[in-house]
Amino acid sequence: MSSDPNPVETPAGESPFELDHFLPYRFNVLAECMSRSLARIYQEQFGISVPEWRVLATLGRESPLSAGEVGSRAHMEKARVSRTLARMLDAGLINRQVDARDNRVAVLALTRRGQDMFRRIAPLARAWEAEMLQVLDAGEVERLHELLDRLLARLRGMRAGSDDAD
Amino acid sequence: MSSDPNPVETPAGESPFELDHFLPYRFNVLAECMSRSLARIYQEQFGISVPEWRVLATLGRESPLSAGEVGSRAHMEKARVSRTLARMLDAGLINRQVDARDNRVAVLALTRRGQDMFRRIAPLARAWEAEMLQVLDAGEVERLHELLDRLLARLRGMRAGSDDAD
DNA sequence: TGACATTAGTTTCGTGGTAAACTAATTTTC
DNA sequence: GAAAATTAGTTTACCACGAAACTAATGTCA
Protein backbone atom coordinates (compact mmCIF):
# COMPACT_ATOMS: atom_id res chain seq x y z
CA MET A 1 0.00 0.00 0.00
CA SER A 2 2.84 2.35 0.72
CA SER A 3 4.50 1.43 -2.56
CA ASP A 4 1.31 1.79 -4.56
CA PRO A 5 2.41 3.15 -7.92
CA ASN A 6 -0.86 5.05 -8.24
CA PRO A 7 -1.39 6.32 -4.74
CA VAL A 8 -4.32 8.61 -5.30
CA GLU A 9 -7.49 6.81 -6.25
CA THR A 10 -9.13 7.96 -9.45
CA PRO A 11 -12.90 7.89 -9.91
CA ALA A 12 -14.01 4.66 -11.56
CA GLY A 13 -13.33 4.53 -15.27
CA GLU A 14 -11.02 7.54 -15.33
CA SER A 15 -7.37 7.24 -16.21
CA PRO A 16 -4.97 8.80 -13.71
CA PHE A 17 -3.69 12.28 -14.36
CA GLU A 18 -0.42 12.12 -16.31
CA LEU A 19 1.83 15.16 -16.27
CA ASP A 20 3.65 13.76 -19.28
CA HIS A 21 0.54 14.02 -21.40
CA PHE A 22 -0.51 17.39 -20.12
CA LEU A 23 -0.01 20.10 -22.72
CA PRO A 24 1.00 23.05 -20.53
CA TYR A 25 3.69 20.91 -18.98
CA ARG A 26 4.85 19.60 -22.33
CA PHE A 27 5.02 23.05 -23.84
CA ASN A 28 6.97 24.37 -20.92
CA VAL A 29 9.51 21.60 -21.06
CA LEU A 30 9.92 21.90 -24.80
CA ALA A 31 10.12 25.68 -24.76
CA GLU A 32 12.75 25.56 -22.06
CA CYS A 33 14.80 23.01 -23.98
CA MET A 34 14.68 25.12 -27.11
CA SER A 35 15.61 28.30 -25.28
CA ARG A 36 18.55 26.69 -23.60
CA SER A 37 19.84 25.04 -26.70
CA LEU A 38 19.62 28.15 -28.83
CA ALA A 39 20.77 30.51 -26.11
CA ARG A 40 23.96 28.55 -25.84
CA ILE A 41 24.87 29.84 -29.29
CA TYR A 42 24.35 33.54 -28.78
CA GLN A 43 25.35 33.62 -25.15
CA GLU A 44 28.69 31.97 -25.68
CA GLN A 45 29.56 33.66 -28.94
CA PHE A 46 28.08 37.09 -28.43
CA GLY A 47 27.56 37.46 -24.70
CA ILE A 48 23.91 38.44 -24.86
CA SER A 49 20.96 37.06 -22.95
CA VAL A 50 17.54 35.89 -24.07
CA PRO A 51 15.79 39.25 -23.62
CA GLU A 52 18.67 41.02 -25.32
CA TRP A 53 18.37 38.71 -28.29
CA ARG A 54 14.65 39.38 -28.46
CA VAL A 55 15.15 43.13 -28.51
CA LEU A 56 17.92 42.80 -31.07
CA ALA A 57 15.70 40.73 -33.35
CA THR A 58 12.80 43.12 -32.89
CA LEU A 59 14.77 46.24 -33.72
CA GLY A 60 16.65 44.41 -36.44
CA ARG A 61 13.43 43.88 -38.28
CA GLU A 62 11.73 47.18 -37.62
CA SER A 63 12.97 50.46 -36.27
CA PRO A 64 12.88 52.96 -34.86
CA LEU A 65 10.51 51.82 -32.14
CA SER A 66 9.66 53.15 -28.72
CA ALA A 67 10.29 51.00 -25.65
CA GLY A 68 6.61 50.22 -25.43
CA GLU A 69 6.48 49.09 -29.04
CA VAL A 70 9.48 46.85 -28.50
CA GLY A 71 7.72 45.32 -25.52
CA SER A 72 4.51 44.57 -27.33
CA ARG A 73 6.26 43.13 -30.37
CA ALA A 74 8.58 40.95 -28.30
CA HIS A 75 6.03 40.05 -25.63
CA MET A 76 8.03 41.48 -22.78
CA GLU A 77 6.89 43.37 -19.71
CA LYS A 78 7.83 47.01 -19.72
CA ALA A 79 10.12 46.67 -16.68
CA ARG A 80 12.02 43.89 -18.37
CA VAL A 81 12.27 45.93 -21.55
CA SER A 82 13.55 48.89 -19.59
CA ARG A 83 16.33 46.93 -17.94
CA THR A 84 17.25 45.15 -21.13
CA LEU A 85 17.50 48.43 -23.01
CA ALA A 86 19.69 49.89 -20.29
CA ARG A 87 22.14 47.03 -20.67
CA MET A 88 22.12 47.27 -24.45
CA LEU A 89 22.69 51.02 -24.34
CA ASP A 90 25.68 50.39 -22.10
CA ALA A 91 26.95 47.81 -24.52
CA GLY A 92 26.57 50.22 -27.41
CA LEU A 93 24.11 48.02 -29.27
CA ILE A 94 21.32 50.54 -29.50
CA ASN A 95 20.84 54.26 -29.35
CA ARG A 96 17.97 56.18 -27.87
CA GLN A 97 16.61 59.53 -28.87
CA VAL A 98 13.89 61.39 -27.06
CA ASP A 99 10.90 62.09 -29.26
CA ALA A 100 10.61 65.82 -29.92
CA ARG A 101 6.81 65.69 -29.99
CA ASP A 102 6.39 63.75 -26.75
CA ASN A 103 9.14 63.93 -24.20
CA ARG A 104 7.95 60.80 -22.44
CA VAL A 105 8.82 58.50 -25.28
CA ALA A 106 12.26 57.74 -26.59
CA VAL A 107 12.84 56.18 -29.91
CA LEU A 108 15.22 53.27 -30.24
CA ALA A 109 17.32 51.85 -33.03
CA LEU A 110 20.28 49.54 -33.43
CA THR A 111 23.68 51.13 -33.69
CA ARG A 112 26.05 49.96 -36.36
CA ARG A 113 27.42 47.52 -33.86
CA GLY A 114 23.94 46.24 -33.01
CA GLN A 115 23.15 45.79 -36.68
CA ASP A 116 26.34 43.83 -37.20
CA MET A 117 25.55 41.57 -34.30
CA PHE A 118 22.04 40.99 -35.55
CA ARG A 119 23.31 40.21 -39.01
CA ARG A 120 25.67 37.64 -37.59
CA ILE A 121 23.26 35.97 -35.17
CA ALA A 122 20.20 35.76 -37.42
CA PRO A 123 21.66 33.16 -39.79
CA LEU A 124 22.92 31.11 -36.86
CA ALA A 125 19.46 31.17 -35.34
CA ARG A 126 17.90 30.13 -38.62
CA ALA A 127 20.42 27.35 -39.02
CA TRP A 128 19.79 26.10 -35.52
CA GLU A 129 16.04 26.05 -36.18
CA ALA A 130 16.54 24.24 -39.46
CA GLU A 131 18.65 21.63 -37.73
CA MET A 132 15.96 21.07 -35.16
CA LEU A 133 13.28 20.88 -37.82
CA GLN A 134 15.08 18.18 -39.76
CA VAL A 135 12.83 15.66 -38.05
CA LEU A 136 9.77 17.32 -39.62
CA ASP A 137 8.90 17.64 -43.27
CA ALA A 138 7.75 20.92 -44.76
CA GLY A 139 4.08 20.13 -44.42
CA GLU A 140 4.48 19.19 -40.78
CA VAL A 141 6.27 22.43 -40.02
CA GLU A 142 3.47 24.34 -41.63
CA ARG A 143 0.82 22.42 -39.71
CA LEU A 144 2.72 22.94 -36.49
CA HIS A 145 2.77 26.68 -37.01
CA GLU A 146 -0.88 26.60 -37.82
CA LEU A 147 -1.71 24.67 -34.66
CA LEU A 148 0.33 27.08 -32.59
CA ASP A 149 -1.53 30.00 -34.16
CA ARG A 150 -4.85 28.55 -33.23
CA LEU A 151 -3.85 27.65 -29.70
CA LEU A 152 -2.47 31.08 -29.07
CA ALA A 153 -5.61 32.71 -30.42
CA ARG A 154 -7.66 30.38 -28.25
CA LEU A 155 -5.71 31.29 -25.11
CA ARG A 156 -6.14 34.97 -25.78
CA GLY A 157 -9.84 34.36 -26.25
CA MET A 158 -10.24 32.26 -23.11
CA ARG A 159 -9.31 35.01 -20.78
CA ALA A 160 -11.51 37.51 -22.60
CA GLY A 161 -13.38 39.61 -20.12
CA SER A 162 -11.39 38.23 -17.23
CA ASP A 163 -8.63 40.80 -17.15
CA ASP A 164 -6.34 43.15 -19.01
CA ALA A 165 -5.02 42.90 -22.52
CA ASP A 166 -1.54 42.01 -23.69
CA MET B 1 16.17 56.26 -43.87
CA SER B 2 15.70 56.62 -40.17
CA SER B 3 12.15 55.32 -40.42
CA ASP B 4 13.08 52.35 -42.57
CA PRO B 5 10.78 49.54 -41.47
CA ASN B 6 13.48 47.01 -42.23
CA PRO B 7 16.58 48.74 -40.95
CA VAL B 8 19.09 45.93 -41.24
CA GLU B 9 19.80 44.91 -44.81
CA THR B 10 19.33 41.26 -45.59
CA PRO B 11 21.46 39.42 -48.13
CA ALA B 12 19.84 39.45 -51.56
CA GLY B 13 16.98 37.02 -51.90
CA GLU B 14 16.64 36.32 -48.19
CA SER B 15 13.57 37.33 -46.28
CA PRO B 16 14.25 39.32 -43.12
CA PHE B 17 14.41 37.48 -39.84
CA GLU B 18 10.96 37.41 -38.23
CA LEU B 19 10.74 36.72 -34.54
CA ASP B 20 7.05 35.93 -34.94
CA HIS B 21 7.84 32.96 -37.16
CA PHE B 22 10.70 31.69 -35.09
CA LEU B 23 9.82 28.52 -33.24
CA PRO B 24 11.74 28.97 -29.98
CA TYR B 25 10.11 32.35 -29.55
CA ARG B 26 6.67 31.02 -30.42
CA PHE B 27 6.99 28.11 -28.03
CA ASN B 28 8.12 30.37 -25.24
CA VAL B 29 5.24 32.75 -25.70
CA LEU B 30 2.70 29.97 -25.93
CA ALA B 31 4.10 28.03 -22.99
CA GLU B 32 4.08 31.15 -20.89
CA CYS B 33 0.48 31.93 -21.82
CA MET B 34 -0.62 28.42 -20.93
CA SER B 35 1.22 28.44 -17.63
CA ARG B 36 -0.25 31.74 -16.63
CA SER B 37 -3.76 30.85 -17.62
CA LEU B 38 -3.74 27.50 -15.86
CA ALA B 39 -1.81 28.70 -12.85
CA ARG B 40 -4.49 31.25 -12.22
CA ILE B 41 -6.78 28.37 -11.31
CA TYR B 42 -4.65 26.57 -8.81
CA GLN B 43 -2.94 29.63 -7.43
CA GLU B 44 -6.11 31.46 -6.64
CA GLN B 45 -8.13 28.51 -5.44
CA PHE B 46 -5.45 26.44 -3.74
CA GLY B 47 -2.58 28.80 -3.08
CA ILE B 48 0.09 26.70 -4.73
CA SER B 49 2.70 27.65 -7.31
CA VAL B 50 3.74 26.05 -10.57
CA PRO B 51 6.53 23.90 -9.12
CA GLU B 52 4.25 22.85 -6.27
CA TRP B 53 1.62 21.76 -8.74
CA ARG B 54 4.22 19.77 -10.64
CA VAL B 55 5.34 17.94 -7.54
CA LEU B 56 1.75 17.35 -6.49
CA ALA B 57 0.93 15.85 -9.87
CA THR B 58 4.06 13.75 -9.85
CA LEU B 59 3.49 12.29 -6.41
CA GLY B 60 -0.22 12.00 -7.09
CA ARG B 61 0.49 9.62 -9.88
CA GLU B 62 3.33 7.66 -8.38
CA SER B 63 4.67 7.42 -4.87
CA PRO B 64 6.64 7.11 -2.79
CA LEU B 65 9.48 8.75 -4.64
CA SER B 66 12.78 10.22 -3.58
CA ALA B 67 13.48 13.89 -4.21
CA GLY B 68 15.72 12.96 -7.11
CA GLU B 69 13.04 10.84 -8.68
CA VAL B 70 10.53 13.65 -8.36
CA GLY B 71 12.99 15.95 -10.08
CA SER B 72 13.64 13.69 -13.03
CA ARG B 73 9.96 12.93 -13.54
CA ALA B 74 8.91 16.58 -13.31
CA HIS B 75 11.94 17.99 -15.13
CA MET B 76 13.02 20.15 -12.24
CA GLU B 77 16.49 20.93 -10.99
CA LYS B 78 17.32 19.41 -7.67
CA ALA B 79 17.63 22.78 -5.94
CA ARG B 80 14.19 23.76 -7.10
CA VAL B 81 12.80 20.41 -5.99
CA SER B 82 14.40 20.85 -2.60
CA ARG B 83 12.88 24.28 -2.04
CA THR B 84 9.51 23.18 -3.34
CA LEU B 85 9.45 20.16 -1.06
CA ALA B 86 10.34 22.31 1.93
CA ARG B 87 7.35 24.55 1.28
CA MET B 88 5.04 21.62 0.76
CA LEU B 89 6.21 19.94 3.93
CA ASP B 90 5.45 23.16 5.79
CA ALA B 91 2.03 23.25 4.22
CA GLY B 92 1.38 19.67 5.26
CA LEU B 93 0.92 18.46 1.71
CA ILE B 94 3.60 15.78 1.76
CA ASN B 95 5.48 13.74 4.26
CA ARG B 96 9.07 12.67 4.16
CA GLN B 97 10.62 9.59 5.60
CA VAL B 98 14.30 8.84 5.63
CA ASP B 99 15.15 5.60 3.90
CA ALA B 100 16.37 3.03 6.40
CA ARG B 101 18.82 1.52 3.93
CA ASP B 102 20.39 4.78 2.81
CA ASN B 103 20.24 7.72 5.14
CA ARG B 104 20.92 10.19 2.35
CA VAL B 105 17.65 9.61 0.61
CA ALA B 106 14.24 10.43 1.94
CA VAL B 107 11.12 9.05 0.52
CA LEU B 108 8.18 11.31 -0.22
CA ALA B 109 4.46 10.84 -0.47
CA LEU B 110 1.36 12.98 -0.38
CA THR B 111 -0.39 13.34 2.93
CA ARG B 112 -4.13 12.93 3.07
CA ARG B 113 -4.37 16.65 2.58
CA GLY B 114 -2.07 16.54 -0.43
CA GLN B 115 -4.09 13.73 -1.95
CA ASP B 116 -7.29 15.69 -1.48
CA MET B 117 -5.79 18.71 -3.13
CA PHE B 118 -4.53 16.66 -6.05
CA ARG B 119 -7.91 15.01 -6.45
CA ARG B 120 -9.55 18.40 -6.60
CA ILE B 121 -7.07 20.12 -8.93
CA ALA B 122 -6.60 17.31 -11.46
CA PRO B 123 -10.12 17.54 -12.92
CA LEU B 124 -9.88 21.32 -13.08
CA ALA B 125 -6.61 21.02 -14.97
CA ARG B 126 -8.12 18.51 -17.36
CA ALA B 127 -11.14 20.73 -17.89
CA TRP B 128 -8.96 23.73 -18.55
CA GLU B 129 -6.95 21.77 -21.09
CA ALA B 130 -10.12 20.51 -22.76
CA GLU B 131 -11.43 24.03 -23.03
CA MET B 132 -8.24 25.18 -24.67
CA LEU B 133 -8.28 22.21 -27.04
CA GLN B 134 -11.77 22.93 -28.26
CA VAL B 135 -10.21 24.67 -31.26
CA LEU B 136 -8.56 21.40 -32.28
CA ASP B 137 -10.22 18.16 -33.30
CA ALA B 138 -9.12 14.82 -31.88
CA GLY B 139 -6.81 14.04 -34.77
CA GLU B 140 -5.11 17.39 -34.51
CA VAL B 141 -4.50 16.93 -30.80
CA GLU B 142 -2.94 13.58 -31.49
CA ARG B 143 -0.75 14.98 -34.24
CA LEU B 144 0.29 17.86 -32.02
CA HIS B 145 1.43 15.46 -29.32
CA GLU B 146 3.28 13.45 -31.88
CA LEU B 147 5.07 16.50 -33.25
CA LEU B 148 6.04 17.56 -29.74
CA ASP B 149 7.41 14.08 -29.08
CA ARG B 150 9.59 14.22 -32.11
CA LEU B 151 10.85 17.73 -31.46
CA LEU B 152 11.74 16.90 -27.91
CA ALA B 153 13.57 13.78 -28.98
CA ARG B 154 15.38 15.82 -31.61
CA LEU B 155 16.47 18.42 -29.09
CA ARG B 156 17.81 15.77 -26.77
CA GLY B 157 19.66 14.28 -29.69
CA MET B 158 21.09 17.58 -30.94
CA ARG B 159 23.13 18.19 -27.86
CA ALA B 160 24.31 14.60 -27.77
CA GLY B 161 27.99 14.49 -26.94
CA SER B 162 28.05 18.17 -26.10
CA ASP B 163 27.30 17.89 -22.41
CA ASP B 164 25.54 16.15 -19.56
CA ALA B 165 22.29 14.23 -19.58
CA ASP B 166 18.93 15.35 -18.26
C1' DT C 1 40.67 -0.03 7.30
C1' DG C 2 41.56 4.28 5.71
C1' DA C 3 41.87 7.53 1.77
C1' DC C 4 39.27 8.93 -2.22
C1' DA C 5 35.32 9.28 -5.18
C1' DT C 6 30.47 9.47 -5.71
C1' DT C 7 25.78 10.45 -4.61
C1' DA C 8 21.51 12.78 -2.33
C1' DG C 9 20.07 16.68 -0.94
C1' DT C 10 20.58 21.56 1.08
C1' DT C 11 22.27 26.12 1.14
C1' DT C 12 24.51 30.14 -0.68
C1' DC C 13 25.30 33.63 -4.01
C1' DG C 14 24.49 36.35 -7.68
C1' DT C 15 21.21 37.34 -11.33
C1' DG C 16 16.98 38.19 -13.25
C1' DG C 17 11.91 38.33 -13.01
C1' DT C 18 7.31 40.45 -11.73
C1' DA C 19 4.17 43.57 -9.46
C1' DA C 20 3.60 47.73 -7.65
C1' DA C 21 5.06 52.31 -6.54
C1' DC C 22 6.89 56.14 -8.55
C1' DT C 23 8.32 60.23 -11.84
C1' DA C 24 7.48 63.00 -15.41
C1' DA C 25 4.99 64.40 -19.45
C1' DT C 26 0.64 64.72 -21.77
C1' DT C 27 -4.26 64.62 -22.45
C1' DT C 28 -8.91 65.26 -20.82
C1' DT C 29 -12.59 67.50 -18.55
C1' DC C 30 -15.15 70.98 -16.77
C1' DG D 1 -6.61 76.88 -18.00
C1' DA D 2 -6.18 74.42 -13.57
C1' DA D 3 -7.32 69.73 -11.58
C1' DA D 4 -7.72 65.06 -12.51
C1' DA D 5 -6.78 61.14 -15.19
C1' DT D 6 -3.77 58.73 -18.38
C1' DT D 7 0.47 57.24 -20.38
C1' DA D 8 5.72 56.13 -20.99
C1' DG D 9 9.13 54.56 -18.75
C1' DT D 10 12.11 53.77 -14.45
C1' DT D 11 12.90 52.13 -9.99
C1' DT D 12 11.99 49.53 -5.85
C1' DA D 13 11.02 45.54 -3.12
C1' DC D 14 10.55 41.07 -3.03
C1' DC D 15 10.94 36.45 -4.63
C1' DA D 16 12.43 32.59 -7.58
C1' DC D 17 15.79 30.48 -10.23
C1' DG D 18 20.21 28.09 -11.58
C1' DA D 19 25.08 27.22 -10.74
C1' DA D 20 28.12 26.06 -7.69
C1' DA D 21 29.69 25.20 -3.07
C1' DC D 22 28.72 22.53 0.66
C1' DT D 23 27.25 18.54 4.05
C1' DA D 24 26.58 14.11 5.06
C1' DA D 25 26.24 9.35 3.84
C1' DT D 26 27.68 5.62 0.97
C1' DG D 27 30.58 3.10 -2.21
C1' DT D 28 35.26 1.85 -3.98
C1' DC D 29 39.77 0.38 -4.03
C1' DA D 30 44.42 -0.22 -2.23
Side-chain angles (χ1 to χ4, degrees):
Chain A
M1 184 184 182
S2 64
S3 59
D4 187 342
N6 181 204
V8 179
E9 307 281 329
T10 41
E14 271 186 34
S15 54
F17 184 89
E18 297 269 358
L19 203 52
D20 286 338
H21 303 148
F22 189 52
L23 273 180
Y25 170 73
R26 300 207 67 187
F27 268 87
N28 268 290
V29 170
L30 196 47
E32 198 183 310
C33 282
M34 283 189 196
S35 259
R36 263 180 210 282
S37 176
L38 174 67
R40 202 169 298 165
I41 295 172
Y42 54 72
Q43 276 176 0
E44 285 176 3
Q45 299 185 30
F46 300 91
I48 64 170
S49 64
V50 176
E52 280 158 14
W53 155 243
R54 280 202 191 177
V55 170
L56 196 72
T58 302
L59 288 173
R61 200 191 89 77
E62 182 185 6
S63 81
L65 294 174
S66 70
E69 289 167 334
V70 169
S72 65
R73 278 165 183 68
H75 280 275
M76 291 168 64
E77 306 252 329
K78 62 181 181 173
R80 201 164 151 215
V81 172
S82 178
R83 267 176 305 142
T84 304
L85 291 175
R87 260 177 285 151
M88 293 177 80
L89 276 165
D90 268 6
L93 295 172
I94 59 178
N95 59 47
R96 156 196 266 153
Q97 192 162 357
V98 174
D99 185 335
R101 306 179 200 294
D102 185 342
N103 287 308
R104 289 171 306 180
V105 331
V107 120
L108 305 151
L110 296 183
T111 59
R112 184 56 171 264
R113 198 166 152 224
Q115 291 177 31
D116 285 348
M117 187 178 284
F118 174 65
R119 254 194 298 257
R120 288 202 285 159
I121 298 181
L124 294 178
R126 276 192 218 265
W128 176 92
E129 189 188 35
E131 191 188 346
M132 175 182 71
L133 288 177
Q134 274 178 7
V135 283
L136 272 51
D137 67 37
E140 287 169 332
V141 172
E142 199 174 339
R143 265 175 286 160
L144 175 61
H145 273 291
E146 199 255 337
L147 291 174
L148 299 184
D149 281 338
R150 278 156 67 196
L151 287 175
L152 193 57
R154 176 62 171 162
L155 284 166
R156 296 205 195 291
M158 274 171 69
R159 68 173 176 187
S162 64
D163 68 1
D164 59 339
D166 194 347
Chain B
M1 184 182 179
S2 64
S3 59
D4 187 345
N6 180 205
V8 179
E9 307 281 328
T10 39
E14 272 185 32
S15 54
F17 184 89
E18 297 270 358
L19 204 51
D20 286 338
H21 303 148
F22 189 52
L23 273 180
Y25 170 73
R26 300 207 67 187
F27 268 87
N28 268 292
V29 170
L30 195 48
E32 200 183 307
C33 281
M34 284 189 195
S35 260
R36 264 182 209 282
S37 176
L38 174 67
R40 201 169 298 164
I41 294 172
Y42 54 71
Q43 276 176 0
E44 285 176 3
Q45 298 185 30
F46 299 91
I48 64 170
S49 64
V50 175
E52 280 157 17
W53 155 243
R54 279 203 192 174
V55 170
L56 196 71
T58 302
L59 287 172
R61 200 192 90 76
E62 183 185 6
S63 80
L65 293 174
S66 70
E69 289 167 335
V70 169
S72 65
R73 279 166 182 67
H75 280 275
M76 292 167 65
E77 305 251 330
K78 62 181 182 173
R80 199 162 154 218
V81 172
S82 177
R83 279 184 296 246
T84 304
L85 291 174
R87 260 176 285 151
M88 293 176 79
L89 275 164
D90 268 6
L93 296 172
I94 58 177
N95 59 46
R96 157 195 264 155
Q97 193 162 357
V98 174
D99 186 336
R101 304 179 201 292
D102 185 340
N103 287 309
R104 289 171 304 180
V105 330
V107 120
L108 304 151
L110 297 182
T111 59
R112 183 54 169 266
R113 198 165 152 226
Q115 290 176 33
D116 285 348
M117 188 178 284
F118 175 64
R119 254 192 298 256
R120 288 201 287 158
I121 298 181
L124 295 178
R126 277 192 217 265
W128 177 91
E129 187 188 36
E131 192 188 346
M132 174 181 71
L133 289 177
Q134 274 177 7
V135 282
L136 272 50
D137 66 38
E140 288 170 331
V141 172
E142 198 175 338
R143 265 175 288 160
L144 175 60
H145 273 291
E146 199 255 337
L147 291 175
L148 298 184
D149 281 338
R150 277 155 66 196
L151 287 176
L152 193 58
R154 175 64 171 159
L155 284 166
R156 295 204 196 294
M158 272 171 70
R159 68 173 175 188
S162 64
D163 68 3
D164 59 338
D166 194 350

